Structures are given as structure tokens and as C-alpha cells.
Amino acid sequence: MMRLFFLCLGYASLALGVIGIFLPVLPTTPFVLLAGWCFARSNPALADRLYNHPRFGALLRTWRDEKAIPLRAKLIALTMLALSYGLILWLSESRVVRVILAAVMGSVAVYIATRPRPRDEAADLHDG
């Protein structure tokens, strides 16, 4: 029963992650990470497929193995957060919405910014 629950949650998370690619307000990465976690508990073959994806696999494996975010991914995520918040400021007239989203998005930005970089990326910076 739990396997089915995790499988359904994994597919739903992956669907939300794909939708998030096209909607700036909906985050992609947390949903794809959740999908990988759910698939690992319900269908390891699907988890392997996700972790070996040509575009997202390396990022997912780095997070799974090191809880690290590459510098380029951090910069893209922080830029997208800033652009999304700018869009909210432009489109929303509600101060309450602006304040709540500033707190949420600011917290997410701090979390992303404070995650370590992958070991191999940090070693490359020290060597070069």
C-alpha cells in the first residue's frame, strides 16, 4: 500500500516539476527531488531513470549524495527567484501578498545560497 502511495506521489511531484518549468511561480527542483525520493521507495527503476537523466541527473545525484548545489544552479535559482518576485511586485497590488511572498521567497533564497557546493566543484576552485 505504501509503495503505491509513494509511486503516485512521485508521479504527481514529477508532473508538478514539469509544469514548474513553464510557470515561474511554481518551483521545479523541489518537486523533482521529491519525485526521486518517492521513486526510490516505490520503484527503483524509475528513480534510476530520473537520477540518470541527461539534463537533471547530475544535479539530483549531487543533492542526494552531498546535499550540495553547484554554483551555476544556485545563480540560476536565485536569479529566477528575483525575477519572479519582480513580476509579483509588478502584477500584485496586495501588500499582504507581497510581504508573504517576500518572506517565503527570501527564506528559499537564503537556504539555496547557504547550501555547500559539490566537493569536486570546490576542489576545482582551489586548484585553479
Side-chain angles (χ1 to χ4, degrees), residues 54-75:
R55 176 87 169 119
F56 302 110
L59 290 169
L60 294 171
R61 287 189 307 273
T62 299
W63 179 258
R64 178 193 63 196
D65 300 341
E66 301 179 42
K67 298 293 185 259
I69 303 172
L71 181 60
R72 184 173 189 277
K74 284 184 184 190
L75 293 174

Side-chain angles (χ1 to χ4, degrees), residues 86-93 98:
L87 187 64
I88 288 163
L89 288 175
W90 184 47
L91 295 176
S92 175
E93 295 179 16
R98 290 176 176 184

Side-chain angles (χ1 to χ4, degrees), residues 39-107:
F39 289 151
R41 280 143 188 79
S42 62
N43 188 330
L46 286 174
D48 287 343
R49 225 172 132 192
L50 197 56
Y51 285 117
N52 290 313
H53 187 274
R55 176 87 169 119
F56 302 110
L59 290 169
L60 294 171
R61 287 189 307 273
T62 299
W63 179 258
R64 178 193 63 196
D65 300 341
E66 301 179 42
K67 298 293 185 259
I69 303 172
L71 181 60
R72 184 173 189 277
K74 284 184 184 190
L75 293 174
I76 290 170
L78 294 172
T79 300
M80 293 308 292
L81 276 167
L83 290 173
S84 294
Y85 190 68
L87 187 64
I88 288 163
L89 288 175
W90 184 47
L91 295 176
S92 175
E93 295 179 16
S94 170
R95 284 188 180 161
V96 173
V97 168
R98 290 176 176 184
V99 169
I100 290 171
L101 289 177
V104 170
M105 294 172 92
S107 299

